Amino acid sequence: MTSLDLSGRTALVTGSTQGIGAAIAAGLARAGARVAVNGRTPDSVDAAVERLSGEGPGAFVPAPGDVSTEAGAEAVRAAVPDVDVLVNNLGIFEARPALEITDDEWRRYFEVNVLSAVRLTRAYLPGMTARGWGRVLTIASDSAVVIPAEMIHYGTSKTALLAVTRGFAKEAAGTGVTVNSVIAGPTHTGGVEDFVRSLVGDELPWDEAQREFMIRHRPQSLLQRLIEPEEIANLVVYLASPLASATTGGAVRVDGGYVDAILP
């Protein structure tokens, strides 16, 4: 195959009931994959599967479970024993003054943002390498490189994911499995809308609020607007496809030029 065709492949996207995760699930299904939709509760997952149905030739299957816990990850593994494409998308973020972040909050961010990706990669990578084909993709963030002053716990967890990705790529060396992270820039999701409002207030219409946020808090962006979830999904689908067979161990940016670097 030399196309984006993922027919016959099974994908799992964590945290895919809404936002970037749902857009990635839809994109993979349009490429022909059978996509396992994940969220913490069966009700939220079933509702997402119903919303996503009809997005493409691929099918959607429910895989509920809180993958920030070992028990939740096991529940997901029971629902989907083997996958060809693993997208570690689950993540949380919240603005918090650096000196007010407690030990418990630091632990929570590592459990949700880092260890969820580690435990699922550890679970599914051996099957991929045994079959000689697979894709592990972890959604990182520009905050991994440009640590935001208002949420250093989030930024640090995303930095850790870049190291996790590089390490697992070395583990998969020469097997036909690629392991990459995707550095997503500021993206337009419901959670980000709330975050923008928390910083610029509720008075401005959304387009003006978004512009004010980018000017005041993300002036490095060359795109000068929030990225749409589908734009993140487009890169993920490419990296999951046979076309990206020589890309591994990388941190590939879809950040609107936010990270001021000449290397990807």
Side-chain angles (χ1 to χ4, degrees), residues 24-257:
I24 291 170
L28 292 170
R30 284 193 290 269
R34 170 179 175 261
V35 183
V37 176
N38 166 256
R40 285 180 296 177
T41 68
D43 287 348
S44 67
V45 171
D46 289 344
V49 168
E50 184 175 354
R51 286 195 307 273
L52 289 166
S53 62
E55 279 288 347
F60 296 96
V61 296
D66 181 358
V67 297
S68 70
T69 68
E70 292 183 44
E74 283 301 315
V76 171
R77 186 82 188 278
V80 193
D82 289 295
V83 301
D84 303 295
V85 178
L86 169 64
V87 182
N88 293 308
N89 169 74
L90 178 66
I92 55 173
F93 67 94
E94 183 183 15
R96 186 65 59 89
L99 297 179
E100 296 178 13
I101 304 169
T102 66
D103 286 359
D104 284 344
E105 286 177 294
W106 276 104
R107 292 187 190 99
R108 176 170 171 254
Y109 271 74
F110 269 80
E111 285 285 351
V112 176
N113 291 1
V114 182
L115 289 182
S116 64
V118 169
R119 64 171 55 95
L120 288 179
T121 303
R122 191 174 58 216
Y124 286 115
L125 186 59
M128 295 181 189
T129 57
R131 293 188 296 273
W133 197 95
R135 301 286 187 263
V136 178
L137 296 162
T138 298
I139 307 304
S141 166
D142 57 82
S143 296
V145 183
V146 186
I147 303 293
E150 72 275 6
M151 47 182 183
I152 67 170
H153 50 343
Y154 171 75
T156 301
S157 71
K158 292 297 184 176
T159 306
L161 286 176
L162 301 186
V164 165
T165 294
R166 185 68 185 178
F168 277 120
K170 292 179 179 180
E171 176 66 23
T175 65
V177 178
T178 66
V179 184
N180 292 288
S181 56
V182 172
I183 296 183
T187 305
H188 182 196
T189 65
V192 169
E193 282 198 22
D194 293 340
F195 178 61
V196 168
R197 291 297 188 187
S198 75
L199 293 176
V200 303
D202 297 322
E203 297 80 16
L204 295 173
W206 169 247
D207 284 347
E208 293 181 32
Q210 175 185 178
R211 190 159 48 248
E212 182 73 10
F213 168 77
M214 297 302 290
I215 291 170
R216 284 170 47 188
H217 298 281
R218 299 294 185 268
Q220 303 98 312
S221 171
L222 303 182
L223 201 60
Q224 298 186 346
R225 64 166 173 83
L226 290 173
I227 298 164
E228 293 301 320
E230 291 75 17
E231 294 175 300
I232 308 297
N234 290 340
L235 180 58
V236 173
V237 173
Y238 165 72
L239 290 172
S241 79
L243 291 176
S245 56
T247 302
T248 192
V252 187
R253 290 194 282 139
V254 56
D255 67 340

